[in-house]
Amino acid sequence: VAQASSAQIGEPSFLLAAMCFPDARESSATAHQCVVLVDPYSTGAMLAPELAQRGFTVMALWTDEAGENRNHIPKAAKGFPEKYLTEVEETLTLADTAKALGAAAGEFGAEIIAIICGGETGVKVTDALAEHMGLRGNSTQNGMENRRDKCVQQEAVARAGLRSVRSACGKTWDEVAAFRSEE
């Protein structure tokens, strides 16, 4: 585990890392601190070199939803995907995915200290895994299992007593046709 000098402690990157991963410094001195990036494509791939620069090892978790997005890695994400500790595929269950991540980290003597979403397709898995593994993240409680769903977002805003948009949610035109004709 790298020790920070007094000059580093005042740097914004050190402060940000301390805010995002408050338990990181208390982690095992022999294990490499590993951050899992879920679906790290497009601009989300830029998190990997930033985390590596701050001394974390980085593991990629690819969800089934990522699809062809997994090939959208900007050239500016220098060294990645080659420098990932490893890349893991989502399994059929959340528990099995957590086990696969733990086993992969253990194989390299790493300790998972955080799970961060790298792309829109990874939001649900990131939230659920962080909660399942006892890591900092967004709760899936109170109807927020799918916070990517704009209808869920607007309902949460309305429940909080804030101004929200009028909307209709559905998967077919028939489910929203009446709303459309009234608006």
Side-chain angles (χ1 to χ4, degrees), residues 107-171:
E107 185 178 324
F108 293 96
E111 176 185 5
I112 297 172
I113 61 158
I115 298 178
I116 300 175
C117 188
E120 179 72 13
T121 56
V123 171
K124 287 175 18 180
V125 171
T126 301
D127 292 350
L129 268 174
E131 196 167 67
H132 179 81
M133 296 174 74
L135 299 169
R136 181 180 283 199
N138 295 303
S139 175
T140 63
Q141 303 300 310
N142 301 317
M144 294 309 290
E145 327 45 59
N146 187 9
R147 65 186 175 94
R148 284 178 58 203
D149 184 322
K150 304 310 180 230
C151 185
V152 169
Q153 293 172 9
Q154 287 303 312
E155 288 170 356
V157 168
R159 276 195 311 275
L162 302 170
R163 195 169 148 195
S164 61
V165 299
R166 293 181 307 277
S167 63
C169 300
K171 294 184 179 184

Side-chain angles (χ1 to χ4, degrees), residues 58-148:
V58 183
M59 183 186 316
L61 170 64
W62 294 104
T63 69
D64 295 336
E65 265 193 77
E68 65 183 46
N69 286 323
R70 95 186 266 167
N71 297 319
H72 296 279
I73 309 296
K75 290 179 183 175
K78 293 185 185 225
F80 288 88
E82 299 81 14
K83 289 185 181 179
Y84 285 130
L85 181 66
T86 190
E87 297 182 59
V88 176
E89 303 291 328
E90 179 185 17
T91 63
L92 291 177
T93 69
L94 185 67
D96 286 344
T97 300
K99 285 179 189 173
L101 289 170
E107 185 178 324
F108 293 96
E111 176 185 5
I112 297 172
I113 61 158
I115 298 178
I116 300 175
C117 188
E120 179 72 13
T121 56
V123 171
K124 287 175 18 180
V125 171
T126 301
D127 292 350
L129 268 174
E131 196 167 67
H132 179 81
M133 296 174 74
L135 299 169
R136 181 180 283 199
N138 295 303
S139 175
T140 63
Q141 303 300 310
N142 301 317
M144 294 309 290
E145 327 45 59
N146 187 9
R147 65 186 175 94
R148 284 178 58 203

